[in-house]
Each structure stands twice: as structure tokens, then as C-alpha cells.
Amino acid sequence: MEEITNFISRIENETRKSDSFALLPFLERVSGYKPYLSGSIIGFGKYHYKYDSGREGDSAVISFSPRKQNLVVYIMPGFDKIEGLLQELGKHKLGKSCLYINKLSDIKLDVLEKIAKLSVQYMQQKYRCKNA
């Protein structure tokens, strides 16, 4: 945990830093997994994937990264089945599995919690997930 705290402490943008310190226990509680640092990504839980191509590896069940431009929460199943929740969330942008948030005060945390829980539940049903 000290490694993660040191990583977040080095973030220059004060809002991004405080939002990261808030997301850390939030995602730990919501996911039920302990956090770990992988490069610039803070992950919670792990699962093993294997594609039809034969490529395989391990990835986080849910994670976030405090980037210079925004916070990115990685919602692994994507967003196809949660469009209604996204409309309630507040100001955000989407990538394939990336939820881009400028600052936590732009969104409704209770809606983010629902999105995160659904994502974790989906991953747990599809994969054997475990703590890192």
C-alpha cells in the first residue's frame, strides 16, 4: 500500500491527487479486492484471460489511472449494458473500456458505485477472479 500512496502523492494536480486518494478506498470497498500498483494503473483483483488467438495474460478486475488529463476508470466489460446509468453519471467521456472523468465532483459517486459493482460482478461470473 505504501507504494500506491507514494505514487499518488507524486501527482502534481491537487484535485487529481485528492480524487485518487478518494478512489482508492472506494474501489477497494466496491470491488472487495486489495489494491496493487501496475505501472501507472492501480488495480483491484486479477483474472486470467485467453483469446482464441492464443494470446493470454493477467489483468485487473477493475482499475483506475490518474492521468495528466483526467482520471480513467477501467470498466472491463465495456458500457453496452449500462447506458441508462451513464446518462445519470454526470460529466464523463468513454473509450472502449475507459471511463474518463475530469474530477469526482463532476459525477455522482452512487452511480459510479453501481457501474463498478456491475462490472466486478460481470468479471466474477465470466472469470475466476482473485486478489493480486
Side-chain angles (χ1 to χ4, degrees):
M1 188 66 144
E2 184 178 340
E3 183 182 28
I4 297 170
T5 303
N6 290 340
F7 170 71
I8 294 174
S9 294
R10 291 191 300 269
I11 297 170
E12 292 178 13
N13 180 301
E14 290 301 321
T15 301
R16 189 108 45 254
K17 183 187 301 187
S18 65
D19 284 353
S20 295
F21 276 123
L23 267 181
L24 188 61
F26 176 85
L27 286 176
E28 181 176 7
R29 178 182 57 79
V30 169
S31 72
Y33 297 110
K34 297 287 182 199
Y36 63 93
L37 189 62
S38 179
S40 64
I41 296 175
I42 299 168
F44 301 83
K46 278 195 176 185
Y47 72 98
H48 186 78
Y49 62 86
K50 185 172 184 177
Y51 296 131
D52 292 338
S53 66
R55 181 174 176 230
E56 62 182 295
D58 294 311
S59 190
V61 174
I62 193 166
S63 57
F64 80 95
S65 181
R67 296 188 183 166
K68 286 190 189 255
Q69 298 283 341
N70 43 40
L71 288 168
V72 182
V73 180
Y74 297 94
I75 305 294
M76 299 314 295
F79 305 100
D80 292 343
K81 297 180 180 171
I82 59 167
E83 290 176 14
L85 286 173
L86 291 172
Q87 291 175 3
E88 296 175 36
L89 181 61
K91 187 178 175 184
H92 68 278
K93 292 182 182 177
L94 298 177
K96 186 173 181 174
S97 290
C98 299
L99 176 62
Y100 299 100
I101 302 165
N102 287 331
K103 55 187 181 283
L104 290 182
S105 62
D106 286 343
I107 64 165
K108 295 178 181 174
L109 284 178
D110 62 325
V111 177
L112 179 60
E113 181 171 343
K114 290 176 187 174
I115 291 169
K117 281 182 178 179
L118 287 170
S119 176
V120 170
Q121 287 170 357
Y122 173 88
M123 296 303 290
Q124 289 171 333
Q125 289 170 0
K126 186 167 180 169
Y127 299 97
R128 288 183 40 191
C129 302
K130 60 185 180 188
N131 265 307

